[in-house]
Amino acid sequence: MSERKFAQGLIRPGSAALMRETVSQAVRESEVMTKPKQVEPLDYETFVLKNRNVLEGDSDRDMLVFPNDDIQLKKMPRRFRTTKSTVPPSDNVSGLFVRECLKSYSSNWSVLHWKYEPYSGSYAQLPRSDIPEELIPQVYEVDIEHDAKEDESALKRTMSRTVTKAGYLYLTPDRQQESGRINISVKSMKKRFFYLKQQVDTSYVLEYHKDDKKLEAKGIIYLDSLVDVVKNPKRGKFAFELRMQERALTLSADSEQDADSWMTILRRVLEVERRVSTAVSYSSFEENIPSAGRSESLHESLRQSRNPELQKYACETERSIREARQEGRQRLYKLYRHEMQKNERLEDEEEPKVDFYGERFGMRLLIKCEDLTFRLLVSLPHGDKHTVCQVEPYFTTLALYDIREECKISEDFHFDINDPRVRDMIPKDIQMAPEMLNANGKMDRSQPDIGSLDEEWLQFRNQALFSVMRPHPEIYLVVRIEKVLHGSLTQSMEPYVNKNNDTRLGLKVHRQMSGVCQRLGHYRMPLAWAARPLLKPFTQEIDTYSEFTTIYRQDQATLTDADLIKYLGYLKQKRVDKLSKLQSIPGSIQLTIEPLTPNLPNCLTPSLVPVRPFPEPPTNPVTYEVQEFLPESTSSYPYTSYMNNLYVYPLHLKYDTQKSFTKARNIACVIEFRDSDSPDATPLKCIYGRPGMPAFVRTASAAVLHHCTAPPMYEEVKVALPLQLHERHHILFRFYHVSCESPKASIKKRENVETAVGYAWIPIVKNGVVTVDEQNIFVAQDLPPGYLTSDPQGFGKGYAGPIIKWIDNTKALLRVYLRLVSTVYTKDVHLQKFFAHCEKMDPAAEAIDNSETCNVLKKADLKTLVDRAVNTGEFQRQLANCVKVLHAVEIGTFTKFLLPVLNQLFRLLAMDVNEDVAQNVIRLLIHVVHGIHATGKADILHAYVKYVFITTTGSITGKTIHEELARNLTVALRPANADLILINNLLGHSAFFFDIIIKSMAQHLMGSDRMKLPRTERFPTDFQFRVQTLVQAIVQHIISKYKENGTETHSANVGLANFIKRCFTFMDRNFVLKLVNLYMEKFSPGGSKVLYEYKFEFLRIVCAYEHYVALNLPMVRPNAIRNIKEFYHEFTLSDDFRKHHFLSGLLLVELKYAMREYRDTRKLAIGVLRNQLAKHAFDDRYASRRQQSKVVSLYLPFLGIVLENVNRLILQQPPQMTSSHSSAIFANGDVSSVVDLSHISMPSTPQRGSMVLDPMNRSSTLPNLGKEQVLLSHVGAGSLSNMTNASSLSNVSDRSSASSTSTLQEKDVGEMGDSLKNQINHQRSPSGVQLSQVIRYDKLNRDEVRDLLICFLYILENISAELLLGWWQNCTETELLNFFKLLELCLENFRYPGKKSLFMRQ
């Protein structure tokens, strides 16, 4: 369907819109749009070397020469929260991964200390000793007047507090009193309303107003010179006279009563004044008494006044006034600092403090288990009396469960709250029978070292420290209760639920259980459980209620954690229908829950290592830290201490179908940890013991279910793994049938209690990786020697293992879950395989590095070396594949083992690897860094760079990490060698790699003493070329990808700027300045706003260098200046100035060109300069006036830039063009002001005397431009008033167009061009600008004006007199007038207008 004609008309732009678009496009494509001329920096190193004596001999040497103590490499000792290091000796450890982990947990921190780093940020980050936080509040008269006019009642209330008397009186006019007339009638006197007031200095005044409603006083009569108050009937019936020292004043009242009242109060005032004058010592005012016959001047009369303010005024002189004005005076930028922070977002936000790596905990709770009480009790003798206690011993366990995640989030804490009389029911030999059975009489070296801890002090514990990383109301505290094995659950529960409260029943059960404990004391059975929420449901505060009110009987069919979590969900939902099926037991459990108090004494880690503070001998009961189990999806942090524990959970044994053991009903599962399958091997003593047992035992057993052939189990066995694991380490499960009934014979033999019914085992290490997670394993009928070599799934060719009979036709009958909590072993196959390949590269490297070639051939196997050399290509290919597959490793695993992984990857770059391996390492590093950033843990990367990273040098190749990073990062940025995602991630996290390069450079220089060499010899030329190439590649990607990848390019821009800033400390400074030039030349004028932001942000960061002043070589002025013309180049942006003061010149040039851009761009440039000057003002290193003078000498050309734009600072409309054609062009109001051609004069040649000379455009003269270009350049001088972004069309300025619009007539263009040409040779430009620098009338907004003026005032405040005089001598008359016009503008802009004006402005 064709479009309607009306709609087509709406879409078609009008002639005015077409004109605006054409003019804008023509201006933007103009040839005059040239970027600033690039000037090569001065050879800094050569200049400093030649002028060393001048710089060293200067009085301000510290600000001209780089300090020698700029950076230091420090080794900071590692601090542990435990009393000793948890890292065991690693002399005999063979695995590279384990060695690297132990090394990363015990090494000291390596820190680069930048002494002057506090001065490398913005002005807000400087040491704040001299920066007041708040200015003293001031009260201004304009505010007082405004408040008085707006709130007269408040003023009247204020006056009432100081007014002694008020009323109407008649006042004799002054002219009549001077004439001495006697017969003055009341009608000739003026009726005024009088106030008698007491001032602050206790003196009195009479203040009279026109009436009582007028607040403005008509006059004031000071009563400090009052002599007497008398009646004067000659002047009136109710008249009285005030006799002063100099004259008399007549007043009159309306009535005699009023007159008497006034006279009485005035005489009282006179008495007060006389008493005050009498109290004053005569000597204090003797010198102020005028001599007789001497005429009193104004100052003399003021000295005689009793008003202290008047006396102070009389003593003032010009000098005293000038000195008083300087007292307590704030510096310029201190007064402006609050406005700067109010109007802008600080670019340099303070970086978060990077802390050391340390163990992280969540909400920590101290739980004390106080008491467990059932209704079934017994009275037992205790000394001389009987007391009530439990009928039998209980085994209690405490743990945390998360029903939201449906998992257990803490290990079991076994505590003992049994009465000692009940605890002794189990004989010690019965309890320790498994230990004594497996002891071989030899010293057991497998037991972990517990130091000087007392075993008896550790045995009975009842308080623990829990940690919850992610607290929420769905976390439950669960207590499991077990008892000594005795028949079925139903039979054992009957006495507890019996409603008859008969003490004889308790005694009967106690006696019965005493016999059972003598026989089966080391076997347990489940009894009950209880649960309660850890936190309150809505506030998430700790629920300190200390009692479990409901204890549920343990059901044999619901023993597992999954069943328990299901019932916890019923508790949360209050499902009465489900909970009613559970049988409750009368009783209660008492716990104390409280937040952790600081410095809890006598606390042990989950590995039984004492935590500070730990007084010895212990002064408090032992407190155990309970290990928290975090889900894999939970964010993790790097490991920082040694821990190596394995948790074994036998879950289920399916014996209901087996036929091998017919009596296997009451099945006990015994767990052992062994390191051999030989016949004489014994279990290792590395299992954490329960209460009442030693700290470490050899065996642990699960609870036994009576007459259950397929028992579910919930036991948790905690094993302390050896540091060095091998293929023969395994977990052995022994299964016994336990006879619960007592034998008929009188002698109770052990063989009547236990009968072996099966064996199972799990190797801990398979293919170099620790076995974890859930597994189903086979059960054997017997346990022959060498059982680890058996293969349950078939005997292949060459099988030499023992013949084993498997139960139930080789079915996996046992289900087991293994949980590894280790900081030296990983369950990830790819990570373990990578370190195994890297380990193969170490022996050859160490041999070649530590001995000579002949010794290598003697000590090393020649055939091995030859084979390795032949298979180098294959080995490199395998190594590259190992690095590639590491992309499949979870970021959480990389985070946990961040220190050893990053150390190995960076070390691999310096080894003898090919380019394929190096590039894969770079890609993996980018992947890891990006993944960690994505989880919100950028701080751990900053901490790694600051504290952990240590550079290495290849022992064979001599490669360094910084050189290889610079080379391979450049290769990774090539579009042909990397995908877009990789490049974007590298750009986004380039700051991390730049920081690594910087630290590697510093450590390399300090470690090899190359820091003492000249900067030109510290690094090879090849490295400088690599850095230059890397910078070029980064800049190219920033400019080309800023639209699509704004976040990544911004991060790359900031990282690159900080990298270049840090290179000033180590590298050839001339080379680094060229890198800055290389960056700047990539940007063109008229670009995107984002690119302008990048450019000025780069300048801001680089110019924030702590030795910026010394880097810019401020003028070393002679003592006496004879010819100021020799320093003319210091006053303008000449090539010589930019060459010697490179960074300051670059900043000023960019500001000069930014003044022709849009408002946002202008504000960026002005803000950078303003903040830079503010930093100089606040820098305590340059506090003296002489130092500040040298600093501002770097910015003298700024005065010319301000003069060039002085017309844009004045808020008034310029003269308008009267041409009919131009009126037609801009009839739509797009240009609010256009240059009047009669007021514009352009010189044909640059003027040397002008301070606003633009040497970059000297070749741009008017005769070379066409007629259309002349008009367009002047059209560009206007400003757009209706821009949606509130910014002017500043790009139009200085940009002539090569094309014209069809609406302009050739005749008009020619006339306007000729009129300009006629003026060129007759007038001199006050600003020295040429055609490409047309005076602009697009006004700057208030913030821009104030920022420019504050910079202008700062330079004037600190410039030396001779420099200011020299600058004036090179100014034209017009520039001098503009200079004073700027001063007037400063007064106008910084004058305080009052609160009302500020409010209206907002």
Side-chain angles (χ1 to χ4, degrees):
M1 182 177 178
S2 61
E3 194 174 28
R4 295 176 59 186
K5 185 176 182 180
F6 175 74
Q8 294 177 356
L10 290 178
I11 298 175
R12 183 183 302 112
S15 57
L18 181 61
M19 170 58 67
R20 291 193 296 270
E21 180 66 24
T22 305
V23 172
S24 177
Q25 184 67 22
V27 171
R28 289 183 177 276
E29 297 177 357
S30 170
E31 295 179 357
V32 186
M33 286 179 56
T34 57
K35 58 184 178 182
K37 176 185 176 183
Q38 295 293 326
V39 176
E40 287 297 320
L42 180 73
D43 190 343
Y44 191 93
E45 307 302 333
T46 304
F47 179 85
V48 171
L49 185 62
K50 289 182 179 180
N51 298 273
R52 176 183 299 176
N53 295 333
V54 178
L55 297 175
E56 295 285 346
D58 193 272
S59 58
D60 296 316
R61 174 186 175 277
D62 292 340
M63 66 181 299
L64 301 177
V65 180
F66 277 57
N68 296 325
D69 59 345
D70 192 9
I71 186 171
Q72 296 176 351
L73 183 61
K74 293 185 177 181
K75 292 290 185 180
M76 301 181 65
R78 198 162 189 142
R79 296 179 181 178
F80 303 96
R81 73 182 189 98
T82 54
T83 57
K84 62 178 181 178
S85 173
T86 59
V87 180
S90 57
D91 300 335
N92 300 322
V93 178
S94 60
L96 176 63
F97 182 72
V98 178
R99 290 200 308 269
E100 288 300 317
C101 290
L102 296 177
K103 182 180 178 181
S104 62
Y105 305 150
S106 58
S107 301
N108 293 329
W109 306 121
S110 177
V111 182
L112 284 180
H113 175 64
W114 306 81
K115 183 177 180 179
Y116 300 94
E117 187 176 14
Y119 299 94
S120 64
S122 69
Y123 70 91
Q125 296 175 336
L126 290 172
R128 296 173 178 259
S129 58
D130 196 29
I131 302 179
E133 292 297 329
E134 295 293 339
L135 297 175
I136 300 176
Q138 304 290 336
V139 180
Y140 301 94
E141 294 179 0
V142 63
D143 290 333
I144 296 177
E145 295 175 0
H146 169 66
D147 294 340
K149 293 178 181 179
E150 285 196 355
D151 194 357
E152 295 183 359
S153 60
L155 183 58
K156 289 181 179 180
R157 288 193 300 269
T158 304
M159 292 172 60
S160 64
R161 291 192 294 268
T162 60
V163 171
T164 305
K165 184 174 178 57
Y168 279 101
L169 292 174
Y170 292 92
L171 174 66
T172 305
D174 292 340
R175 63 180 182 274
Q176 295 184 12
Q177 293 190 39
E178 293 174 0
S179 64
R181 293 175 57 187
I182 299 177
N183 53 350
I184 301 176
S185 64
V186 179
K187 294 182 179 180
S188 63
M189 302 176 74
K190 299 293 185 181
K191 187 177 181 180
R192 296 290 182 261
F193 192 82
F194 278 77
Y195 293 100
L196 177 61
K197 295 182 177 181
Q198 185 179 19
Q199 294 184 322
V200 180
D201 59 350
T202 70
S203 63
Y204 287 86
V205 295
L206 268 176
E207 186 179 287
Y208 55 92
H209 300 245
K210 188 174 182 180
D211 53 39
D212 59 345
K213 296 183 179 180
K214 298 294 184 181
L215 298 177
E216 183 179 358
K218 302 292 288 186
I220 300 177
I221 303 172
Y222 293 95
L223 301 181
D224 55 352
S225 60
L226 181 64
V227 177
D228 198 2
V229 181
V230 297
K231 284 189 176 184
N232 191 353
K234 297 181 181 180
R235 298 294 179 96
K237 186 177 180 180
F238 309 118
F240 57 93
E241 188 176 276
L242 303 181
R243 294 181 180 179
M244 307 289 186
Q245 293 178 357
E246 302 174 359
R247 60 173 181 167
L249 186 64
T250 302
L251 301 175
S252 179
D254 289 331
S255 63
E256 185 177 359
Q257 183 179 359
D258 288 345
D260 293 341
S261 175
W262 275 103
M263 290 177 65
T264 302
I265 192 66
L266 289 173
R267 285 170 182 166
R268 193 180 303 164
V269 169
L270 179 59
E271 293 176 3
V272 173
E273 292 288 348
R274 286 175 179 175
R275 286 198 300 268
V276 173
S277 61
T278 304
V280 179
S281 175
Y282 177 79
S283 60
S284 64
F285 60 88
E286 183 180 11
E287 59 182 1
N288 294 327
I289 298 177
S291 59
R294 178 181 175 184
S295 61
E296 296 181 351
S297 64
L298 175 60
H299 282 276
E300 290 173 348
S301 63
L302 292 176
R303 289 192 188 100
Q304 295 178 1
S305 174
R306 296 171 186 171
N307 191 325
E309 295 295 331
L310 297 177
Q311 293 178 1
K312 179 180 178 182
Y313 176 75
C315 298
E316 287 180 345
T317 62
E318 290 294 334
R319 181 176 180 180
S320 65
I321 293 174
R322 182 168 61 253
E323 292 177 353
R325 189 180 293 120
Q326 298 299 328
E327 293 180 359
R329 191 170 186 175
Q330 298 285 352
R331 290 188 178 183
L332 190 64
Y333 268 105
K334 286 186 179 180
L335 299 174
Y336 197 66
R337 174 170 171 260
H338 294 269
E339 186 167 346
M340 292 164 57
Q341 295 178 348
K342 178 181 65 176
N343 295 332
E344 73 168 2
R345 174 185 59 86
L346 284 179
E347 301 92 342
D348 271 340
E349 298 179 357
E350 290 194 22
E351 296 183 359
K353 183 179 178 181
V354 180
D355 294 327
F356 301 105
Y357 285 117
E359 296 182 61
R360 294 177 180 259
F361 302 97
M363 181 178 65
R364 308 193 77 186
L365 307 171
L366 180 62
I367 301 180
K368 299 179 182 179
C369 306
E370 305 287 352
D371 187 30
L372 170 61
T373 304
F374 290 107
R375 188 168 61 185
L376 183 64
L377 299 173
V378 64
S379 178
L380 297 178
H382 182 69
D384 297 336
K385 57 182 180 179
H386 284 66
T387 57
V388 176
C389 62
Q390 307 98 324
V391 297
E392 61 176 318
Y394 302 113
F395 309 95
T396 47
T397 303
L398 187 65
L400 295 179
Y401 286 80
D402 188 342
I403 61 175
R404 178 186 298 177
E405 299 291 338
E406 297 184 351
C407 64
K408 182 181 180 182
I409 61 173
S410 77
E411 67 174 341
D412 288 338
F413 171 62
H414 303 282
F415 60 94
D416 187 353
I417 51 178
N418 292 308
D419 189 279
R421 293 167 294 176
V422 177
R423 187 184 300 149
D424 294 338
M425 291 173 62
I426 304 177
K428 204 67 177 177
D429 57 341
I430 295 296
Q431 190 175 13
M432 299 295 298
E435 295 297 307
M436 293 184 292
L437 181 64
N438 291 287
N440 54 11
K442 299 179 181 180
M443 180 179 295
D444 195 344
R445 301 180 182 274
S446 62
Q447 178 177 346
D449 182 22
I450 61 173
S452 59
L453 295 178
D454 186 6
E455 290 271 4
E456 294 183 1
W457 179 69
L458 295 175
Q459 283 186 1
F460 302 106
R461 59 263 191 176
N462 62 353
Q463 61 184 27
L465 192 59
F466 284 81
S467 175
V468 182
M469 187 66 71
R470 299 188 303 172
H472 56 83
E474 297 184 23
I475 295 177
Y476 275 73
L477 191 64
V478 177
V479 177
R480 288 182 183 266
I481 306 172
E482 298 173 337
K483 63 185 292 294
V484 176
L485 177 61
H486 176 225
S488 65
L489 284 174
T490 304
Q491 179 184 355
S492 301
M493 192 60 60
E494 288 181 0
Y496 289 91
V497 297
N498 195 329
K499 297 182 180 181
N500 296 327
N501 192 7
D502 190 356
T503 57
R504 292 177 297 177
L505 178 62
L507 182 60
K508 176 182 177 182
V509 174
H510 174 72
R511 291 176 179 175
Q512 182 182 13
M513 293 306 302
S514 296
V516 174
C517 291
Q518 295 289 331
R519 182 170 178 265
L520 303 175
H522 61 283
Y523 290 109
R524 296 168 286 109
M525 63 178 293
L527 176 64
W529 65 275
R532 49 159 290 188
L534 183 65
L535 305 176
K536 295 180 180 179
F538 299 106
T539 61
Q540 294 195 15
E541 298 176 351
I542 301 174
D543 191 354
T544 57
Y545 184 71
S546 60
E547 186 176 1
F548 287 78
T549 56
T550 305
I551 302 177
Y552 297 101
R553 169 196 165 186
Q554 184 68 68
D555 190 0
Q556 181 171 321
T558 57
L559 287 176
T560 63
D561 285 346
D563 298 325
L564 180 61
I565 292 174
K566 180 179 65 174
Y567 281 107
L568 292 178
Y570 296 155
L571 284 176
K572 176 182 177 296
Q573 301 170 7
K574 298 181 179 180
R575 295 282 300 274
V576 181
D577 56 332
K578 299 291 184 180
L579 296 177
S580 60
K581 299 179 181 179
L582 299 176
Q583 184 179 8
S584 61
I585 305 175
S588 65
I589 303 174
Q590 298 290 335
L591 299 179
T592 301
I593 305 175
E594 58 187 24
L596 173 65
T597 57
N599 300 324
L600 180 67
N602 296 124
C603 185
L604 301 178
T605 67
S607 300
L608 303 185
V609 181
V611 179
R612 302 177 190 271
F614 196 88
E616 292 187 6
T619 59
N620 294 78
V622 61
T623 302
Y624 276 80
E625 287 185 353
V626 178
Q627 180 67 48
E628 181 181 9
F629 298 147
L630 295 176
E632 294 295 334
S633 58
T634 304
S635 58
S636 54
Y637 288 90
Y639 292 140
T640 57
S641 61
Y642 174 78
M643 182 179 294
N644 196 23
N645 294 324
L646 180 69
Y647 294 86
V648 183
Y649 301 89
L651 299 179
H652 187 263
L653 177 65
K654 188 176 176 55
Y655 253 33
D656 52 349
T657 59
Q658 61 88 21
K659 305 297 183 183
S660 302
F661 303 99
T662 56
K663 294 183 179 181
R665 294 185 302 275
N666 310 326
I667 301 176
C669 177
V670 179
I671 299 98
E672 300 174 355
F673 186 82
R674 299 195 174 203
D675 61 352
S676 175
D677 58 355
S678 60
D680 56 347
T682 57
L684 301 181
K685 196 174 183 179
C686 59
I687 298 177
Y688 290 83
R690 284 172 166 265
M693 304 286 288
F696 292 95
V697 295
R698 300 178 185 274
T699 62
S701 60
V704 180
L705 296 182
H706 186 260
H707 284 199
C708 182
T709 57
M713 291 171 276
Y714 56 88
E715 185 70 20
E716 177 184 274
V717 179
K718 184 179 179 181
V719 181
L721 292 178
L723 178 61
Q724 182 66 57
L725 291 177
H726 50 73
E727 299 290 340
R728 304 188 71 82
H729 278 109
H730 64 283
I731 300 172
L732 178 64
F733 299 91
R734 295 175 178 268
F735 302 104
Y736 295 96
H737 167 73
V738 181
S739 176
C740 296
E741 298 178 359
S742 300
K744 296 179 181 180
S746 60
I747 301 177
K748 304 174 182 179
K749 298 183 180 180
R750 182 170 181 80
E751 53 267 27
N752 295 329
V753 177
E754 298 175 351
T755 303
V757 293
Y759 305 89
W761 55 89
I762 300 179
I764 293 298
V765 179
K766 291 182 180 180
N767 300 323
V769 181
V770 177
T771 304
V772 291
D773 297 333
E774 187 172 313
Q775 300 186 29
N776 295 312
I777 58 178
F778 306 93
V779 181
Q781 296 183 20
D782 53 1
L783 194 68
Y787 54 86
L788 290 178
T789 60
S790 63
D791 185 6
Q793 296 183 352
F795 305 131
K797 183 179 181 181
Y799 173 74
I803 300 177
I804 298 177
K805 297 181 180 179
W806 302 102
I807 297 177
D808 203 3
N809 296 325
T810 320
K811 291 182 180 180
L813 304 180
L814 178 63
R815 184 158 55 92
V816 181
Y817 178 76
L818 302 179
R819 185 196 300 270
L820 178 66
V821 180
S822 174
T823 60
V824 293
Y825 285 99
T826 177
K827 62 181 182 180
D828 192 279
V829 179
H830 305 305
L831 190 59
Q832 185 66 36
K833 185 177 180 181
F834 165 72
F835 274 89
H837 272 76
C838 293
E839 188 174 8
K840 298 177 182 178
M841 303 179 66
D842 281 352
E846 293 178 0
I848 295 175
D849 184 56
N850 297 330
S851 55
E852 299 177 357
T853 305
C854 57
N855 294 332
V856 171
L857 296 177
K858 292 178 182 179
K859 296 181 179 181
D861 187 352
L862 182 61
K863 184 177 183 300
T864 303
L865 294 176
V866 172
D867 292 340
R868 181 170 296 171
V870 171
N871 298 325
T872 297
E874 179 63 21
F875 178 81
Q876 296 280 351
R877 186 186 64 79
Q878 295 178 359
L879 182 60
N881 291 334
C882 288
V883 177
K884 287 180 182 179
V885 298
L886 286 181
H887 287 268
V889 179
E890 295 181 356
I891 292 298
T893 303
F894 278 128
T895 303
K896 294 174 183 177
F897 297 101
L898 182 69
L899 278 62
V901 169
L902 290 185
N903 288 340
Q904 185 60 35
L905 289 176
F906 284 121
R907 191 182 300 113
L908 193 60
L909 286 176
M911 293 183 178
D912 186 15
V913 295
N914 57 25
E915 185 175 350
D916 186 26
V917 175
Q919 278 300 299
N920 280 286
V921 170
I922 292 295
R923 294 188 183 100
L924 180 62
L925 283 171
I926 297 172
H927 168 75
V928 172
V929 172
H930 175 70
I932 293 175
H933 269 272
T935 58
K937 299 189 185 65
D939 57 323
I940 65 177
L941 294 174
H942 299 324
Y944 173 82
V945 176
K946 185 173 182 179
Y947 298 112
V948 179
F949 174 77
I950 298 178
T951 190
T952 58
T953 303
S955 56
I956 301 177
T957 60
K959 296 179 181 179
T960 59
I961 293 179
H962 52 273
E963 292 176 354
E964 292 305 305
L965 270 179
R967 181 176 67 86
N968 289 285
L969 288 177
T970 307
V971 175
L973 287 170
R974 296 174 185 172
N977 296 340
D979 56 10
L980 295 179
I981 297 178
L982 178 70
I983 293 178
N984 294 338
N985 292 341
L986 175 55
L987 292 176
H989 312 300
S990 57
F992 170 80
F993 297 99
F994 283 137
D995 291 341
I996 291 291
I997 293 176
I998 289 295
K999 189 170 184 180
S1000 178
M1001 291 166 56
Q1003 292 176 338
H1004 173 70
L1005 292 178
M1006 296 179 181
S1008 59
D1009 286 336
R1010 299 182 67 86
M1011 201 72 177
K1012 301 177 182 178
L1013 296 178
R1015 289 174 177 262
T1016 54
E1017 301 177 10
R1018 291 180 180 178
F1019 296 100
T1021 308
D1022 181 53
F1023 175 64
Q1024 292 188 358
F1025 173 76
R1026 292 176 180 178
V1027 171
Q1028 180 179 349
T1029 307
L1030 176 60
V1031 172
Q1032 287 178 333
I1034 292 286
V1035 177
Q1036 189 63 38
H1037 281 287
I1038 290 174
I1039 295 178
S1040 62
K1041 296 179 179 294
Y1042 74 93
K1043 292 183 179 180
E1044 301 85 2
N1045 307 102
T1047 304
E1048 290 81 1
T1049 52
H1050 177 265
S1051 300
N1053 188 65
V1054 173
L1056 179 61
N1058 284 297
F1059 170 70
I1060 292 178
K1061 181 176 71 172
R1062 286 302 176 203
C1063 285
F1064 283 123
T1065 304
F1066 305 107
M1067 303 185 73
D1068 181 358
R1069 286 162 286 199
N1070 182 54
F1071 168 74
V1072 182
L1073 290 175
K1074 289 182 178 179
L1075 292 181
V1076 177
N1077 229 5
L1078 176 65
Y1079 176 92
M1080 299 301 297
E1081 70 180 5
K1082 299 295 183 181
F1083 291 83
S1084 301
S1088 170
K1089 173 188 172 182
V1090 177
L1091 291 181
Y1092 274 111
E1093 291 177 352
Y1094 286 0
K1095 179 170 68 173
F1096 284 108
E1097 187 173 32
F1098 177 89
L1099 278 176
R1100 173 185 60 80
I1101 296 175
V1102 172
C1103 293
Y1105 180 51
E1106 54 265 35
H1107 306 304
Y1108 167 87
V1109 175
L1111 191 63
N1112 280 279
L1113 297 172
M1115 289 188 300
V1116 182
R1117 307 295 298 167
N1119 294 330
I1121 301 177
R1122 298 181 179 179
N1123 187 6
I1124 197 66
K1125 292 184 179 180
E1126 296 178 3
F1127 303 97
Y1128 173 79
H1129 64 273
E1130 298 290 342
F1131 305 144
T1132 61
L1133 278 175
S1134 59
D1135 290 352
D1136 193 49
F1137 178 90
R1138 297 176 59 192
K1139 183 178 180 181
H1140 283 78
H1141 318 298
F1142 182 76
L1143 289 181
S1144 63
L1146 181 62
L1147 181 58
L1148 292 175
V1149 167
E1150 293 298 330
L1151 171 66
K1152 181 182 180 68
Y1153 276 81
M1155 294 298 293
R1156 310 166 188 173
E1157 298 294 339
Y1158 290 105
R1159 176 172 298 170
D1160 292 339
T1161 303
R1162 292 199 309 263
K1163 292 184 69 174
L1164 287 172
I1166 295 172
V1168 172
L1169 178 66
R1170 180 203 62 197
N1171 293 349
Q1172 186 69 19
L1173 296 181
K1175 182 181 178 182
H1176 296 324
F1178 293 142
D1179 198 329
D1180 56 6
R1181 298 175 297 173
Y1182 315 130
S1184 68
R1185 180 63 182 269
R1186 185 181 64 255
Q1187 292 172 323
Q1188 285 288 314
S1189 177
K1190 287 186 177 181
V1191 170
V1192 300
S1193 67
L1194 299 173
Y1195 302 96
L1196 290 179
F1198 174 75
L1199 301 178
I1201 296 176
V1202 180
L1203 290 180
E1204 179 182 337
N1205 295 274
V1206 65
N1207 292 315
R1208 305 171 66 185
L1209 307 181
I1210 306 173
L1211 300 178
Q1212 64 182 17
Q1213 292 296 330
Q1216 300 292 330
M1217 293 181 64
T1218 57
S1219 171
S1220 59
H1221 296 284
S1222 53
S1223 299
I1225 294 175
F1226 305 109
N1228 289 326
D1230 294 306
V1231 180
S1232 62
S1233 57
V1234 185
V1235 177
D1236 187 351
L1237 300 184
S1238 63
H1239 291 269
I1240 301 300
S1241 58
M1242 297 295 149
S1244 58
T1245 58
Q1247 300 296 326
R1248 178 175 175 80
S1250 176
M1251 291 298 100
V1252 292
L1253 176 67
D1254 186 3
M1256 283 71 72
N1257 290 325
R1258 291 177 180 174
S1259 60
S1260 184
T1261 57
L1262 183 62
N1264 296 330
L1265 300 177
K1267 300 177 181 180
E1268 297 85 0
Q1269 291 175 313
V1270 174
L1271 179 60
L1272 287 176
S1273 64
H1274 286 80
V1275 169
S1279 64
L1280 300 182
S1281 59
N1282 296 324
M1283 294 293 291
T1284 57
N1285 60 355
S1287 62
S1288 61
L1289 184 59
S1290 11
N1291 282 331
V1292 179
S1293 175
D1294 308 326
R1295 297 174 185 174
S1296 302
S1297 174
S1299 62
S1300 62
T1301 62
S1302 58
T1303 58
L1304 296 177
Q1305 300 296 327
E1306 184 69 24
K1307 177 180 178 180
D1308 300 324
V1309 175
E1311 291 176 357
M1312 298 175 71
D1314 293 339
S1315 65
L1316 276 176
K1317 292 178 182 179
N1318 293 332
Q1319 298 183 40
I1320 288 177
N1321 298 321
H1322 297 284
Q1323 297 186 13
R1324 177 185 177 188
S1325 169
S1327 61
V1329 293
Q1330 302 167 8
L1331 181 63
S1332 62
Q1333 294 174 292
V1334 178
I1335 297 178
R1336 300 180 57 87
Y1337 278 112
D1338 49 334
K1339 302 301 180 184
L1340 308 181
N1341 64 14
R1342 178 178 177 273
D1343 293 336
E1344 293 174 293
V1345 172
R1346 289 170 66 89
D1347 287 345
L1348 288 173
L1349 292 180
I1350 203 69
C1351 298
F1352 172 76
L1353 289 176
Y1354 170 72
I1355 295 176
L1356 287 187
E1357 179 189 19
N1358 296 283
I1359 191 173
S1360 62
E1362 60 270 18
L1363 280 181
L1364 184 59
L1365 179 62
W1367 184 83
W1368 273 340
Q1369 290 178 358
N1370 288 272
C1371 287
T1372 63
E1373 180 180 354
T1374 305
E1375 290 168 345
L1376 289 177
L1377 294 176
N1378 288 338
F1379 175 79
F1380 290 102
K1381 186 185 296 184
L1382 282 175
L1383 293 179
E1384 293 178 356
L1385 287 174
C1386 292
L1387 293 175
E1388 178 183 346
N1389 278 273
F1390 296 110
R1391 178 179 61 85
Y1392 178 65
K1395 294 180 179 178
K1396 181 178 181 181
S1397 299
L1398 291 177
F1399 178 78
M1400 296 300 295
R1401 185 180 300 168
Q1402 293 175 357

